[in-house]
Amino acid sequence: MERYANLGGDSGVVGYEIGDDFVRIQFSDGSIYLYTYASAGANNIEQMKRLAQNGQGLNAFINRHVRKAYARKER
């Protein structure tokens, strides 16, 4: 899991892992959610990858666009 840069300073996201067709997100409460092409759509996953790597805007994007579109909660 990569550490999320959190350039805005107020994100609930602390880490992420990127795969070909998924993004795994770790939140500050320790929960980890898996978002996939199948669950959230390819365009959303690709945007989440960009935001994760840029270190800003990921938490807001998740809340606005894919909040409950995860494939599974892992922890």
Side-chain angles (χ1 to χ4, degrees), residues 7-51:
L7 298 176
D10 59 354
S11 181
V13 175
V14 296
Y16 66 93
E17 178 184 342
I18 291 175
D20 289 339
D21 63 351
F22 72 87
V23 178
R24 185 175 281 120
I25 305 294
Q26 182 175 12
F27 292 93
S28 56
D29 67 357
S31 62
I32 298 174
Y33 289 82
L34 175 67
Y35 294 89
T36 67
Y37 277 12
S39 71
N43 289 337
N44 285 329
I45 297 301
E46 292 303 316
Q47 179 65 14
M48 290 170 72
K49 289 178 184 181
R50 286 188 288 276
L51 293 169

Side-chain angles (χ1 to χ4, degrees), residues 40-71:
N43 289 337
N44 285 329
I45 297 301
E46 292 303 316
Q47 179 65 14
M48 290 170 72
K49 289 178 184 181
R50 286 188 288 276
L51 293 169
Q53 291 170 327
N54 290 340
Q56 192 168 14
L58 181 56
N59 195 61
F61 182 86
I62 290 169
N63 286 333
R64 286 188 192 117
H65 300 285
V66 298
R67 185 176 187 95
K68 297 190 181 199
Y70 55 88

